[in-house]
């Protein structure tokens, strides 16, 4: 009886590509009394593994917190699998704003003390006495109330790339750090202000609202379903999005675009950018924001030291990183001294609030023509395969590869293979391959950049 993932991420990515099935990325949570979390965990793994579910799921005595993806064809079978349990009947499933077949590449179901690490002792207050849930329209309306204080309950690396206008954004690495800070900073407004909170999918606000009510805040509100559900309602009802930028997500995408506004900067040079990446040095893996120019110059690394390490033989790299425990370090992007612009140009106070009229940067327009789409990626040699549907591509062309997860990546083509044979060019109807310094997805589009 298999109860654990046995495939590597690379093997799973190839299987997903070969299957050719559209996958859905979704998240949900539920607070409940689970007497035997281990048994519950094993039941979920056995049921979901057969449905090709991949993701990161935490279960505890207090409930479940899940972020996952599955083939769209298996969606209703998946719903049936969770509605076997009474506390998940009719549960809201937050469907991702943007879909990516590679959002998750493993199925991990873990038993934890809590489904969210909040540092609270639940027995000391009523965790069911939560704040008032607001849908998108009501949330927008309350944002305009001068007696409202809106607080982002996410961490600094999440709120940096996207947030609600005028939100207070605690400069913290973890959710548990934000609770006492917010209580202290807003202590004078427990009765005279409306405390309005939001997070990614709603789970952090669920616990935080009960905590703040316990601490004496009288008017506590929370965004129902978080940013994900808010965006769905905004689109469905034709509302104005008060959220600007990107919504950070904890999967391979690292973000889904809500509006075209870019509200953050490259941590290495300061250029307008909101693309998160992990340092290419596996022994570092630091999470930070990096623009295309710095990605090319630094080879996807956070520092010159890491850029040197990635060129060492694999055995030497393994020896260097042996015993290294990164832990939460990978998320402390604003605190790393190697990120020169981020470290030198910004002071880190307890709160960073958006100005009433934030300065937004629109991405520059690139003149381009459509060539085709990605059809496969070979991880080991790092080779991308594309079907040319229109026009032609030749050696020396500057190309743009664009996708929701890949972002916008430019490079100059130095060699082309058509049907595994070296060629000067590839024309419409042909499948070509060339080396890439990054992974592509099947949803990625290929363009030729024009002068």
């Amino acid at each position: 009886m298999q109860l654990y993932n046995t495939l590597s991420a690379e093997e799973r990515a190839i299987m997903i590509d070969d299957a050719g099935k559209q996958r859905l990325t979704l998240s949900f949570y539920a607070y409940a009394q689970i007497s035997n979390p281990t048994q519950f965990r094993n039941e979920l793994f056995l049921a979901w593994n057969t449905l090709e579910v991949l993701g990161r799921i935490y279960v505890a005595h207090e409930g479940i917190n899940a972020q996952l993806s599955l083939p769209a064809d298996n969606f209703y079978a998946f719903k049936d699998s969770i509605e076997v349990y009474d506390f998940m009947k009719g549960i809201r499933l937050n469907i991702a704003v943007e879909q990516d077949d590679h959002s998750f590449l493993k199925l991990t179901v873990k038993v934890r003390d809590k489904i969210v690490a909040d540092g609270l002792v639940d027995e000391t207050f009523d965790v069911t006495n939560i704040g008032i849930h607001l849908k998108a329209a009501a949330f927008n309306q309350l944002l305009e109330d001068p007696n409202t204080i809106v607080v982002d309950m996410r961490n600094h690396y999440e709120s940096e790339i996207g947030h609600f206008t005028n939100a207070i954004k605690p400069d913290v690495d973890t959710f548990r750090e934000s609770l006492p800070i917010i209580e202290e900073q807003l202590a004078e407004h427990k009765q005279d202000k409306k405390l309005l909170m939001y997070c990614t999918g709603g789970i952090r606000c669920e616990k935080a609202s009960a905590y703040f009510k316990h601490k004496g805040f009288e008017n506590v509100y929370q965004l129902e379903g978080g940013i994900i559900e808010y965006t769905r309602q905004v689109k469905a009802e034709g509302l104005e999005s008060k959220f600007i930028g990107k919504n950070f997500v904890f999967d391979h995408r690292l973000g889904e675009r809500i509006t075209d506004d870019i509200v953050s900067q490259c941590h290495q040079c300061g250029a307008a950018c909101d693309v998160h990446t992990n340092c290419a040095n596996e022994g570092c893996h630091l999470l930070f924001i990096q623009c295309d120019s710095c990605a090319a110059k630094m080879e996807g690394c956070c520092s010159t030291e890491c850029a040197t390490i990635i060129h060492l033989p694999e055995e030497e790299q393994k020896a260097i990183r042996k015993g290294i425990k990164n832990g939460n370090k990978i998320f402390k992007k604003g605190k790393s001294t190697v990120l020169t612009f981020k470290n030198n140009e910004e002071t880190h106070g307890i709160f960073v609030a958006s100005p009433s009229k934030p300065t937004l940067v629109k991405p520059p327009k690139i003149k381009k023509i459509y060539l085709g789409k990605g059809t496969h990626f070979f991880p080991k040699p790092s080779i991308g395969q594309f079907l040319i549907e229109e026009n032609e591509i030749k050696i020396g062309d500057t190309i743009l590869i664009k996708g929701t997860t890949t972002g916008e990546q430019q490079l100059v083509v130095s060699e082309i293979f058509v049907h595994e044979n070296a060629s000067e060019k590839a024309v419409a109807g042909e499948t070509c391959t060339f080396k890439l310094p990054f992974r592509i997805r099947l949803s990625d589009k290929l363009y030729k950049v024009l002068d």
Side-chain angles (χ1 to χ4, degrees):
M1 183 168 60
Q2 181 186 337
L3 290 171
Y4 297 92
N5 182 82
T6 58
L7 296 176
S8 69
E10 290 77 13
E11 291 170 327
R12 184 69 72 174
I14 293 172
M15 287 181 63
I16 290 173
D17 289 344
D18 290 344
K21 296 180 181 179
Q22 180 188 0
R23 297 182 68 88
L24 291 176
T25 299
L26 58 88
S27 61
F28 66 91
Y29 70 91
Y31 282 100
Q33 293 297 319
I34 299 175
S35 58
N36 190 334
T38 299
Q39 178 182 333
F40 178 56
R41 177 261 174 214
N42 292 345
E43 291 172 1
L44 292 180
F45 190 95
L46 290 172
W48 291 352
N49 194 40
T50 60
L51 296 176
E52 301 177 64
V53 173
L54 303 172
R56 185 184 304 109
I57 298 93
Y58 299 135
V59 300
H61 283 291
E62 66 174 0
I64 180 171
N65 180 15
Q67 297 88 38
L68 53 85
S69 78
L70 73 159
D73 294 345
N74 293 345
F75 178 73
Y76 290 104
F78 171 77
K79 282 194 69 177
D80 291 342
S81 77
I82 62 176
E83 293 192 348
V84 167
Y85 305 93
D86 288 341
F87 71 90
M88 287 195 284
K89 286 182 177 178
I91 192 172
R92 181 184 60 247
L93 302 176
N94 289 324
I95 307 297
V97 176
E98 297 176 341
Q99 299 299 328
D100 187 320
D101 291 343
H102 294 154
S103 57
F104 290 100
L105 296 175
K106 290 185 179 182
L107 175 58
T108 304
V109 188
K110 293 185 177 181
V111 176
R112 291 285 179 86
D113 292 333
K114 289 195 170 191
I115 56 177
V116 175
D118 52 36
L120 300 175
V121 181
D122 292 357
E123 292 75 19
T124 60
F125 66 101
D126 183 359
V127 296
T128 66
N129 184 24
I130 59 177
I132 299 171
H133 286 79
L134 297 177
K135 295 186 181 298
F139 189 88
N140 278 1
Q141 186 176 3
L142 200 57
L143 279 175
E144 302 301 320
D145 188 333
N147 289 316
T148 294
I149 298 177
V150 58
V151 179
D152 193 321
M153 296 306 301
R154 302 172 303 155
N155 306 324
H156 70 97
Y157 50 87
E158 299 173 79
S159 61
E160 184 173 15
I161 61 171
H163 49 77
F164 281 96
T165 53
N166 299 323
I168 289 174
K169 308 189 294 291
D171 184 28
V172 295
D173 297 321
T174 63
F175 173 54
R176 69 169 66 197
E177 293 176 62
S178 66
L179 297 174
I181 291 175
I182 293 170
E183 180 193 357
E184 179 183 353
Q185 295 292 311
L186 303 182
E188 297 180 1
H189 301 294
K190 291 184 176 182
Q191 286 78 40
D192 66 330
K193 297 290 184 181
K194 297 170 184 174
L195 178 58
L196 180 59
M197 298 180 296
Y198 69 90
C199 58
T200 306
I203 186 170
R204 283 176 276 191
C205 292
E206 198 80 1
K207 184 64 71 70
S209 66
Y211 172 78
F212 287 127
K213 290 186 73 173
H214 168 67
K215 289 295 184 177
F217 287 85
E218 295 182 358
N219 304 296
V220 181
Y221 301 82
Q222 61 195 94
L223 179 59
E224 182 178 286
I227 299 163
I228 299 173
E229 176 63 13
Y230 172 87
T231 302
R232 188 196 68 77
Q233 292 178 19
V234 162
K235 291 180 177 179
E237 300 172 26
L239 304 174
E240 177 189 1
S241 177
K242 300 288 187 178
F243 185 97
I244 54 176
K246 290 173 74 174
N247 177 32
F248 186 95
V249 291
F250 291 87
D251 57 52
H252 286 270
R253 295 172 298 156
L254 292 178
E256 49 188 13
R257 184 157 297 286
I258 308 300
T259 70
D260 290 334
D261 308 302
I262 298 177
V263 299
S264 52
Q265 297 170 294
C266 172
H267 288 168
Q268 292 177 316
C269 73
C273 180
D274 57 9
V275 178
H276 273 109
T277 188
N278 287 107
C279 179
N281 174 17
E282 290 295 328
C284 174
H285 212 55
L286 181 75
L287 180 74
F288 67 108
I289 296 174
Q290 187 178 54
C291 69
D292 290 344
S293 176
C294 288
K297 182 172 68 175
M298 301 296 293
E299 300 181 88
C301 293
C302 68
S303 65
T304 53
E305 179 183 0
C306 285
T308 300
I309 290 175
I310 64 172
H311 291 290
L312 296 174
E314 182 61 28
E315 290 304 313
E316 289 188 39
Q317 292 188 49
K318 288 181 179 179
I320 290 173
R321 63 178 179 257
K322 187 177 181 180
I324 293 177
K325 302 294 183 182
N326 285 320
N328 200 45
K329 168 183 174 292
I330 64 170
F331 296 122
K332 297 179 183 292
K333 66 182 190 305
K335 282 72 173 176
S336 175
T337 57
V338 302
L339 301 173
T340 52
F341 180 85
K342 174 74 175 177
N343 190 56
N344 295 334
E345 298 294 326
E346 225 177 80
T347 55
H348 296 279
I350 289 180
F351 284 137
V352 182
S354 304
S356 56
K357 292 184 179 180
T359 301
L360 307 178
V361 179
K362 298 292 185 180
K365 296 291 184 181
I366 299 174
K367 293 183 180 180
K368 60 186 183 296
I369 58 172
Y370 180 73
L371 294 175
K373 62 184 180 182
T375 56
H376 199 74
F377 181 74
F378 303 91
K380 293 297 183 183
S382 194
I383 290 176
Q385 183 183 78
F386 295 85
L387 172 63
I388 305 302
E389 298 178 309
E390 301 175 17
N391 303 300
E392 68 176 27
I393 180 177
K394 62 181 183 297
I395 291 175
D397 283 344
T398 298
I399 59 171
L400 171 70
I401 300 172
K402 184 177 181 180
T404 55
T405 301
T406 306
E408 296 189 7
Q409 304 281 357
Q410 286 191 50
L411 69 154
V412 177
V413 179
S414 58
E415 59 179 349
I416 300 174
F417 290 86
V418 176
H419 303 306
E420 300 184 0
N421 296 314
S423 176
E424 291 294 316
K425 65 179 181 179
V427 300
E430 293 183 331
T431 297
C432 67
T433 57
F434 43 85
K435 289 188 70 66
L436 295 171
F438 52 86
R439 173 186 291 277
I440 65 164
R441 275 73 179 178
L442 296 186
S443 57
D444 288 355
K445 300 294 187 289
L446 177 65
Y447 301 86
K448 180 192 295 186
V449 177
L450 303 176
D451 295 333

